Amino acid sequence: MTDNVYDLIGWRFCVAPMLDLTDRHCRYFHRLLSHRARLYTEMVTTGALVHGDVPHHLDFSEAEHRVALQLGGSDPKDLAHGAKLAQQWGYDEVNLNCGCPSERVQKGSFGACLMAEPGLVADCVKAMQDATHLPVTIKHRVGIDANNDYGFVRDFVGTLFNAGVRVFIVHARNAWLKGLSPKENREIPPLRREVVYQLKKDFPEAIIVINGALQDLGECEAELKHVDGVMLGRAAYYTPWLLTDVDARLYNDEHAPVTRDRVIDAMEEYVRFIKPDDHSLRACCRHMHGLLTGLAGAKVWRRTLSDTALIREQGADIFRYAYGKAGWTDVESFPDEDREFFS
C-alpha cells in the first residue's frame, strides 16, 4: 500500500510540465476546464530560486490546486532549498526533473543525464524530503541514449524507491543526450510503453504514471489498465477542450458542464483581477489558442488572439472580442455566485 500522503487517485490524470507553456496563466485556464487534473509548473531551476526573483517563479492562484512545482537541479542543498520554498508557497508536490534531454540542461548537470547517477539523485531526494512534508516525486525516461536494457531503469527506480520516492512519472521513450533536439526527443526515440508496465509490476507499491505521445482520453483509459496514472503534454495544451471530459470519464465526477462561453467570461474576470502587463495578457491569449479547435471560426479566433495591437487595444475584453470575430455570440453570463472563485 502507498503512504497516506500519496493519494493514488491524485495522480490519475496529470498535465505535463512544459517549458514556456505551463505558466501560471496556462494552469489557471486548464483548471477552468478540469477540477481534478493535476497541474505542473514549468521546470524551475534551483539557480533561479537561489539567485533570481522567487515570487516571479513561484506565485500562483489558489484556484490552481492540485499543482506541483517541478525543479531542475543536481545539488542536494539547492534542491532542499527549492523544496522548502515549494512548501512555503503552498504547492502540493515537488517534482525533480530527471527526464529533460536538452543540451542546455545537461550543461547544468541535471535533467535526463541524472539517470546515470542514481546515487546522486537519491541524495537529492533525501535532502528534499528532509526539507518538506510534500510528496517528492520523480519524472524520468525509460533510458538514455541507446541503452535499452530494462535493468537500467529498473535499478534507477529501485534506488529511488529505497530512498523514499513513491511516485514515478515515466516518459516512455529513451532520452538521447546528443544529436536530437528536445522536440525530436519527443518524437524519434521509439515508444517503449511495455517498460513502464513492467515497472508497475516490479514496484506494485509505487505510483507509476505514464507519459509520452498520449493524444486523447480513449488512449488514457487504455493505459490506466496497466498503470496508476497518465500525463498528457502537447495534446492537453493544443487541444485543451479534451480536459473538460477528464473529471467525468476518469474520476466519475459529474458537475455542471463547462461551456466555452463560461470559460471566456472566467478568463476575462481573471485578467481583470490580476491586472496583467502586456506580457501576461499576451500569454493568456496564447494559451487559449486551442479553445475553438475543431469548430467554425477557429482560425479567426487564433489570428485575433495573436494580434498584439488588438490585444493592447481590447485589454481584458480581447477574449469576448475574438469570440465575436470568430462568429460566436454571448450565450450566457457568468453567474455572480461564481465570482468568488477569483478572490
Side-chain angles (χ1 to χ4, degrees), residues 59-278:
D59 198 16
F60 68 99
S61 167
E62 285 296 311
E64 294 173 40
H65 290 293
R66 301 176 177 177
V67 59
L69 172 65
Q70 186 185 66
L71 293 178
S74 59
D75 179 87
K77 181 180 178 182
D78 289 347
L79 284 166
H81 176 68
K84 185 176 181 180
L85 286 174
Q87 179 174 313
Q88 290 174 349
W89 281 79
Y91 285 88
D92 300 295
E93 169 193 344
V94 57
N95 177 265
L96 179 58
N97 186 322
C98 294
C100 181
S102 83
E103 293 190 14
R104 179 173 64 86
V105 166
Q106 290 178 55
K107 288 178 181 178
S109 299
F110 59 95
C113 63
L114 283 176
M115 289 192 69
E117 301 184 73
L120 171 60
V121 179
D123 290 340
C124 292
V125 164
K126 291 172 184 175
M128 295 166 74
Q129 291 170 335
D130 287 343
T132 181
H133 60 66
L134 299 177
V136 176
T137 67
I138 300 289
K139 189 172 189 296
H140 62 94
R141 296 279 184 132
V142 293
I144 52 177
D145 295 326
N147 186 348
N148 291 325
D149 177 17
Y150 172 69
F152 174 80
V153 67
R154 179 200 61 210
D155 292 348
F156 176 80
V157 170
T159 298
L160 298 179
F161 186 87
N162 289 337
V165 177
R166 290 297 178 267
V167 180
F168 298 86
I169 302 167
V170 192
H171 188 136
R173 300 182 194 268
N174 278 29
W176 284 83
L177 302 182
K178 299 292 181 183
L180 294 182
S181 69
K183 180 178 185 296
E184 290 170 330
N185 256 295
R186 295 192 300 269
E187 299 170 351
I188 293 177
L191 283 167
R192 301 169 60 211
R193 289 177 177 165
E194 68 282 357
V195 173
V196 188
Y197 306 159
Q198 189 61 48
L199 286 172
K200 179 58 190 174
K201 292 177 182 177
D202 288 346
F203 299 93
E205 295 184 350
I207 296 173
I208 302 294
V209 179
I210 194 167
N211 173 228
L214 295 172
Q215 297 299 319
D216 56 49
L217 296 190
E219 290 187 21
C220 291
E221 288 169 328
E223 292 302 313
L224 287 169
K225 297 176 183 178
H226 305 283
V227 293
D228 303 303
V230 293
M231 175 177 276
L232 266 67
R234 266 70 191 171
Y237 186 84
Y238 291 109
T239 55
W241 200 247
L242 69 81
L243 296 176
T244 62
D245 285 332
V246 165
D247 298 359
R249 288 181 62 172
L250 301 188
Y251 292 90
N252 197 30
D253 180 1
E254 299 286 353
H255 48 72
V258 181
T259 68
R260 288 174 175 84
D261 197 78
R262 281 186 58 124
V263 169
I264 288 168
D265 275 346
M267 286 302 294
E268 178 181 305
E269 188 76 6
Y270 169 73
V271 166
R272 295 187 192 283
F273 181 77
I274 65 171
K275 299 180 175 63
D277 53 25
D278 284 352

Side-chain angles (χ1 to χ4, degrees), residues 262 265 332-340:
R262 281 186 58 124
D265 275 346
E332 60 183 14
S333 60
F334 195 62
D336 289 338
E337 61 268 24
D338 285 352
R339 291 188 182 274
E340 65 186 34

